Amino acid sequence: MHPAPGSDSASTAKYRSIAADLAQKILDGQLSAGEKLPAHRVLAHTLGVTPATVSRAYTHLEQQGLATARVGDGTYVRVRSSSLDDAEPEPLAAPIDLAHNVAIPTDEVNALAQVFAELGQDPARMAQLLAYQSEAGAPQHRQTGAAWLRRFGTSGAWSRVMVTHGAQHGLAGVLRTMARPGDTLLTESLSYPGLLALARSMRLQVIGLEMDAEGLLPDALDKAAQTYQAKLLYCSPTLHNPTGRSMSMARREALAAVVRRRGLWLMEDVVHAAVLQQPPPAVSTLVPEQSFLLASLSKVMAPGLRVGYLEAAPEWLDKVAASIRTDCWMVAPLMPEIASRWIDSGAAERLIGLQRQHIGARLALAHQCLAGLDYHWSADHPHLWFPLPEPWHASQFASALRRAGVLVRTAEQFAAGRSRAPHAIRISLNTASSAEQLGLGLRTLVRVLHSDPQADMAP
């Protein structure tokens, strides 16, 4: 496949011309859904442009909903539509968001006002918060973080804990410390998009591993560790994103045994597990000297509270802290102060309890709206994993929903490496502005599901 480079006039950038030519081939059926597009350097050589220009063209196709980039594997045709104009997402006056993962507003504004009132009476403390801090965080904040992590079965030693601007920040620090371009990173076949984006930016080879009803399979991990000589593993054993699955204790022990035997470095994500009143022990507690435990408060309290905690062996924390120093010098101490006061006063537990109540009510509504349909859910978890019945394809269904005014995430957006994404979607119950909006969104989803996919494809 050799698309023409198109116009090189000042009004039409090269990458747009390339993207338009590829888009037309997709829409005309010359490129079919699932077909792999040429590698960046190959197409760049053919067209006489730079790889960066091809990269921008492929990104433009992704933004149009016509292609999907797979970390370590390339870019694939995603959907087929009837015209180029149809490929552009239609503007929605007020789409119902069942795609994003944002904590439900509860009483966090009043809790924040209380902290500010307390700080307003303590000028000396405010002065301390405006001074430079250690890269790993202030000792008081680290101690509170260690207390918070005990809910996941950790030892609670604050010398093993550092403060981060959320779990994504901590994950970036760990990867910059442990990985080099070309290294292999093992993860579930469906994994956190933030991890996949980080891996892409660092030019890591991502290998997606087989899963079952509990999550990652230890035998698949063992085989991949040997085959690829890999040393890095990222996984979410509790309330896995996007499927919501959780591992039994026996599975956690089997996974830890492989980590120990193969000398792997485990990056364990417990961000979603924080919503549970009694989360199961983290796998990291079974292999503490080979693990990085990543936690955050934003998904269970407020998205703007960018506070996370990273637990690891002290010698590795020092190295991660050095990476953070080069990145942002230090974690700004005001938000960890807010988090610490919420945790120490019990406000954090109260806010998470309110979160669980709202999630429970929304789950009940979802069960009512989706009665008779097959989907996976977990108590206290605001996501549903929804396999699509034939003949629907995930990208096609998501496009039909978008035109109907509802947004969801497809499995493609979580697919790791060469893993083939199932035809499934993740439904988030926590972002809709109200129960009424959520109900309308779910009923619309059911209506679209029962419509004719072929009619949806008709011009």
Side-chain angles (χ1 to χ4, degrees):
M1 184 227 22
H2 302 300
S7 172
D8 195 29
S9 67
S11 61
T12 305
K14 289 182 180 180
Y15 84 89
R16 286 187 175 274
S17 179
I18 296 169
D21 189 66
L22 288 169
Q24 195 60 56
K25 284 180 167 57
I26 293 171
L27 301 171
D28 289 345
Q30 297 179 51
L31 295 172
S32 59
E35 184 173 343
K36 187 175 182 178
L37 297 178
H40 292 62
R41 292 187 180 278
V42 171
L43 187 56
H45 178 74
T46 301
L47 300 179
V49 298
T50 66
T53 299
V54 174
S55 180
R56 293 185 68 189
Y58 283 4
T59 297
H60 193 61
L61 288 175
E62 287 187 79
Q63 292 169 346
Q64 291 178 299
L66 294 174
T68 298
R70 305 280 284 274
V71 177
D73 190 30
T75 304
Y76 289 80
V77 176
R78 182 177 179 188
V79 297
R80 184 190 296 173
S81 190
S82 57
S83 70
L84 184 56
D85 290 337
D86 288 342
E88 294 285 356
E90 296 184 10
L92 299 172
I96 298 174
D97 191 347
L98 305 184
H100 295 91
N101 178 23
V102 180
I104 303 169
T106 58
D107 195 38
E108 63 279 354
V109 172
N110 289 329
L112 180 60
Q114 178 63 35
V115 170
F116 285 160
E118 293 170 357
L119 286 174
Q121 301 300 314
D122 193 349
R125 182 57 182 161
M126 285 194 290
Q128 292 173 351
L129 296 175
L130 294 175
Y132 278 122
Q133 310 285 324
S134 164
E135 301 95 322
Q140 179 181 340
H141 296 158
R142 295 173 67 186
Q143 290 166 6
T144 300
W148 169 262
L149 292 178
R150 290 193 191 108
R151 69 199 301 115
F152 305 108
T154 67
S155 66
W158 74 271
S159 62
R160 296 179 58 91
V161 175
M162 68 182 298
V163 183
T164 65
H165 279 310
Q168 179 80 358
H169 183 215
L171 180 59
V174 172
L175 284 176
R176 282 199 299 271
T177 301
M178 306 296 294
R180 296 295 179 268
D183 284 354
T184 297
L185 172 62
L186 307 177
T187 187
E188 298 101 334
S189 58
L190 298 172
S191 191
Y192 170 46
L195 169 80
L196 303 180
L198 276 172
R200 185 184 298 116
S201 70
M202 294 183 64
R203 288 181 279 176
L204 304 179
Q205 179 187 19
V206 177
I207 303 298
L209 305 179
E210 188 179 354
M211 304 168 64
D212 66 3
E214 288 191 33
L216 180 61
L217 287 168
D219 287 347
L221 174 62
D222 192 44
K223 181 179 179 180
Q226 295 180 74
T227 301
Y228 298 99
Q229 297 296 298
K231 293 299 179 184
L232 301 173
L233 168 65
Y234 170 92
C235 67
S236 301
T238 304
L239 297 180
H240 169 263
N241 185 25
T243 67
R245 307 287 186 180
S246 293
M247 293 183 181
S248 65
M249 197 61 213
R251 173 64 61 85
R252 292 165 194 267
E253 291 170 348
L255 191 67
V258 176
V259 169
R260 190 180 302 110
R261 183 169 63 252
R262 299 300 174 193
L264 297 172
W265 292 103
L266 168 64
M267 291 165 280
E268 182 176 6
D269 187 331
V270 293
V271 169
H272 290 92
V275 73
L276 301 176
Q277 194 164 19
Q278 292 184 316
V283 175
S284 299
T285 63
L286 303 175
V287 281
E289 301 309 309
Q290 294 174 232
S291 299
F292 297 89
L293 184 66
L294 299 150
S296 172
L297 305 181
S298 61
K299 298 301 184 187
V300 293
M301 294 186 203
L305 188 66
R306 306 305 302 169
V307 178
Y309 302 111
L310 169 64
E311 175 166 312
E315 61 269 23
W316 285 109
L317 281 189
D318 290 342
K319 293 179 173 63
V320 175
S323 294
I324 287 178
R325 183 183 181 90
T326 62
D327 179 30
C328 60
W329 195 265
M330 66 176 189
V331 173
L334 181 57
M335 280 195 287
E337 178 74 9
I338 295 167
S340 291
R341 288 174 180 257
W342 282 5
I343 292 171
D344 294 341
S345 68
E349 292 292 353
R350 181 175 64 84
L351 292 172
I352 295 175
L354 291 173
Q355 195 75 204
R356 282 195 294 268
Q357 289 179 25
H358 283 280
I359 291 171
R362 293 191 176 206
L363 278 170
L365 177 58
H367 296 331
Q368 178 183 347
C369 293
L370 303 178
L373 298 176
D374 182 27
Y375 57 92
H376 175 79
W377 65 280
S378 296
D380 299 328
H381 190 49
H383 304 307
L384 308 179
W385 182 242
F386 195 95
L388 292 168
E390 293 288 350
W392 280 110
H393 288 183
S395 57
Q396 179 193 23
F397 184 69
S399 295
L401 272 181
R402 185 171 64 248
R403 287 191 287 275
V406 178
L407 308 178
V408 295
R409 293 281 194 213
T410 67
E412 285 179 335
Q413 294 166 289
F414 301 89
R418 297 176 182 272
S419 302
R420 183 173 182 177
H423 290 299
I425 60 172
R426 189 194 72 180
I427 303 171
S428 295
L429 306 178
N430 51 353
T431 310
S433 59
S434 65
E436 290 73 23
Q437 283 288 93
L438 175 61
L440 176 59
L442 292 172
R443 288 190 292 274
T444 301
L445 184 149
V446 172
R447 175 174 58 79
V448 172
L449 184 72
H450 290 153
S451 67
D452 181 3
Q454 298 305 316
D456 179 72
M457 295 292 288

